[in-house]
Amino acid sequence: MLSHLTSGSEVVLSVIAYSFCSGSLVLINKLILHYLPYPSLVIATQLLATIFIIYTLHCLQVVDIDPIRWKFVLPYLAYTVAFSVGVFCNMKSLSLSNVETVIVFRALAPLLVSVLDVAFLGREWPSPQSWGALALIGVGAYGYAATDQQFRTQGPSAYFWPTAYLFVISFEMAYGKKIVKDVDLKTRSGPVQYTNILGFLPMLLLAGIGGEFHLFHTQWIDVGIMMFRFPAIPLLVVGCIVGTGIGYSGWWCRSTISATSYTIIGVMNKCLTVLANCMIWDKHAVPAGIASLFLCLLGGALYRQAPMKEGVQQEKSSPQDEEQETTEQRMPLVK
């Protein structure tokens, strides 16, 4: 369906689609959790809904899917484990520190991923401009967090889980790009199938570890069906649809740009979401905090994707591949 697009257009559309779905899902899930405070169960529901939507569309001959084969399960299982561990570390980080701390550590991930890009994914080192852009993102995130009193008063013990989250998500971002390159799935649905099918049970496990089944049962005993008060169910349905969208757009975007660029886009989306939170929920962020977020966005705009190493470039098989590589290098991540 997208085969008629030029390489440059595909990069732009994949980034826009992923950014839209990512930002929308964060805000929708924030609303869902206001009514249904069970984060792992909500994610598990969205994973299950995505599986249902994919196979329903396949039965209607709308989309093609890949067969489930063991040789594909193993690499995607490793990715799913990393994703699940990342979710757990993120939840522990939020329980012991605050959102600002998590944002700072998340903003440091592109620095680590850029090293992994060089070591394992065939990229050159970033240019001085790109290193400066990565530094701006880190400084901006720290500047935003430093405006929060709780961030300034936390002890060192509050940083163990955010540090673990940083390393896990950096591995997840680099490994995700590697399996896109190395695992020979034939359809765009393939990565979405495998990650959602393999991720469902770990999410249920995290729900059990977090005591969500007990909380759900207790609330059901107390208020029954009224626990699903309006608009909880409509929001959950929308969240499932957008969750399917982020599955497709996320893997599509990942396939068109480098692991570092993909990680930076995730950071930019988070900064934009924080700005939206300030406007929608009236969080009254101080001017210095807002300025720091714009510094992060400036860093994203200045970053330029590192080219492939010369030996890797020679393996490209078509002029279209070379066109896409050139387009990616020239394109800023934030317009």
Side-chain angles (χ1 to χ4, degrees):
M1 183 173 63
L2 298 170
S3 58
H4 65 284
L5 294 176
T6 65
S7 296
S9 298
E10 184 175 1
V11 172
V12 172
L13 285 178
S14 67
V15 169
I16 291 174
Y18 171 61
S19 298
F20 174 78
C21 291
S22 176
S24 299
L25 189 61
V26 169
L27 296 176
I28 292 168
N29 279 347
K30 183 180 179 70
L31 291 171
I32 293 172
L33 293 176
H34 176 74
Y35 296 98
L36 300 172
Y38 316 105
S40 295
L41 288 178
V42 168
I43 294 174
T45 301
Q46 291 171 347
L47 295 178
L48 186 62
T50 297
I51 297 167
F52 174 79
I53 290 171
I54 290 173
Y55 281 92
T56 299
L57 293 177
H58 176 65
C59 290
L60 296 173
Q61 299 183 339
V62 176
V63 299
D64 295 323
I65 63 173
D66 282 274
I68 303 299
R69 293 178 178 167
W70 183 248
K71 67 176 181 177
F72 299 147
V73 167
L74 286 178
Y76 276 96
L77 182 60
Y79 174 85
T80 303
V81 169
F83 172 78
S84 301
V85 173
V87 170
F88 179 77
C89 291
N90 186 46
M91 291 167 60
K92 293 292 290 185
S93 299
L94 291 173
S95 67
L96 296 174
S97 54
N98 62 355
V99 174
E100 284 73 19
T101 302
V102 176
I103 289 174
V104 169
F105 280 84
R106 179 69 174 82
L108 296 176
L111 292 167
L112 289 183
V113 177
S114 64
V115 176
L116 296 176
D117 249 341
V118 175
F120 301 107
L121 296 171
R123 292 276 168 184
E124 296 282 2
W125 287 103
S127 66
Q129 175 181 326
S130 292
W131 279 121
L134 292 172
L136 276 180
I137 294 171
V139 170
Y142 179 82
Y144 171 74
T147 63
D148 182 80
Q149 180 65 30
Q150 185 180 349
F151 176 83
R152 297 196 299 267
T153 58
Q154 290 176 124
S157 61
Y159 301 127
F160 172 80
W161 286 109
T163 302
Y165 174 63
L166 167 64
F167 282 100
V168 171
I169 198 168
S170 297
F171 167 79
E172 177 194 333
M173 293 297 167
Y175 185 71
K177 178 64 177 183
K178 182 172 177 59
I179 59 178
V180 164
K181 293 172 59 179
D182 295 348
V183 178
D184 189 27
L185 294 178
K186 304 299 184 183
T187 70
R188 290 201 185 276
S189 299
V192 190
Q193 285 174 256
Y194 278 85
T195 51
N196 282 267
I197 291 172
L198 295 173
F200 178 67
L201 289 180
M203 280 300 109
L204 293 182
L205 178 62
L206 289 178
I209 293 173
E212 293 181 27
F213 289 109
H214 175 71
L215 292 174
F216 186 93
H217 180 261
T218 300
Q219 189 171 6
W220 178 264
I221 294 298
D222 289 343
V223 298
I225 195 68
M226 293 304 296
M227 67 184 291
F228 299 107
R229 66 188 187 279
F230 185 83
I233 298 302
L235 284 172
L236 188 59
V237 171
V238 173
C240 290
I241 295 171
V242 178
T244 303
I246 199 174
Y248 277 94
S249 62
W251 285 102
W252 180 28
C253 182
R254 183 176 256 140
S255 71
T256 63
I257 58 178
S258 72
T260 304
S261 298
Y262 185 80
T263 309
I264 290 174
I265 290 170
V267 175
M268 298 300 98
N269 289 338
K270 187 170 288 293
C271 291
L272 290 170
T273 301
V274 171
L275 287 172
N277 279 334
C278 294
M279 292 184 289
I280 296 173
W281 281 281
D282 196 22
K283 294 296 183 180
H284 299 292
V286 298
I290 299 298
S292 295
L293 290 176
F294 278 106
L295 190 64
C296 290
L297 297 177
L298 176 62
L302 292 175
Y303 179 81
R304 293 296 183 274
Q305 180 167 274
M308 300 297 292
K309 293 177 180 177
E310 184 177 349
V312 177
Q313 280 185 318
Q314 291 174 355
E315 296 173 3
K316 291 182 179 293
S317 58
S318 71
Q320 185 178 11
D321 292 327
E322 295 176 0
E323 177 193 346
Q324 178 170 329
E325 181 63 31
T326 302
T327 302
E328 292 169 6
Q329 293 169 28
R330 294 175 178 172
M331 186 173 300
L333 293 180
V334 178
K335 294 293 187 182

